[in-house]
Amino acid sequence: MVRKGKIAEIFSKAVYNDNPELYTVGYLDLGEIKKVTLVEFLRLSENFEVIPASRIVYIMKENITLYSKIKNRK
């Protein structure tokens, strides 16, 4: 089960209290993990209408993983 609350919390902090360009989102697209900036993901997902939160695999800020569905992701 996706914790949309955790994802929404990270996104909100990035957008309103930080530089969203420092964040990277990995999401599933046709079986592949696509990697984009948070700003690009927000544009592409159209507020989670086109890409739901359940397809987010990881969120990173620079080299720090903030959210991951994959165990032991570095």
Side-chain angles (χ1 to χ4, degrees), residues 7-32:
I7 292 170
E9 180 182 311
I10 293 168
F11 280 22
S12 178
K13 180 181 177 190
V15 171
Y16 299 109
N17 297 319
D18 205 350
N19 179 355
E21 291 291 338
L22 299 176
Y23 292 75
T24 304
V25 178
Y27 68 95
L28 281 175
D29 184 38
L30 302 174
E32 281 184 46

Side-chain angles (χ1 to χ4, degrees), residues 7-62:
I7 292 170
E9 180 182 311
I10 293 168
F11 280 22
S12 178
K13 180 181 177 190
V15 171
Y16 299 109
N17 297 319
D18 205 350
N19 179 355
E21 291 291 338
L22 299 176
Y23 292 75
T24 304
V25 178
Y27 68 95
L28 281 175
D29 184 38
L30 302 174
E32 281 184 46
I33 298 176
K34 300 273 182 144
K35 179 180 172 182
V36 296
T37 66
L38 176 59
V39 173
E40 180 71 2
F41 180 82
L42 292 172
R43 186 186 67 74
L44 291 170
S45 74
E46 296 179 16
N47 197 30
F48 299 106
E49 293 296 317
V50 177
I51 305 170
S54 61
R55 288 179 36 200
I56 295 174
V57 178
Y58 65 84
I59 304 169
M60 296 181 72
K61 179 181 179 188
E62 298 175 315

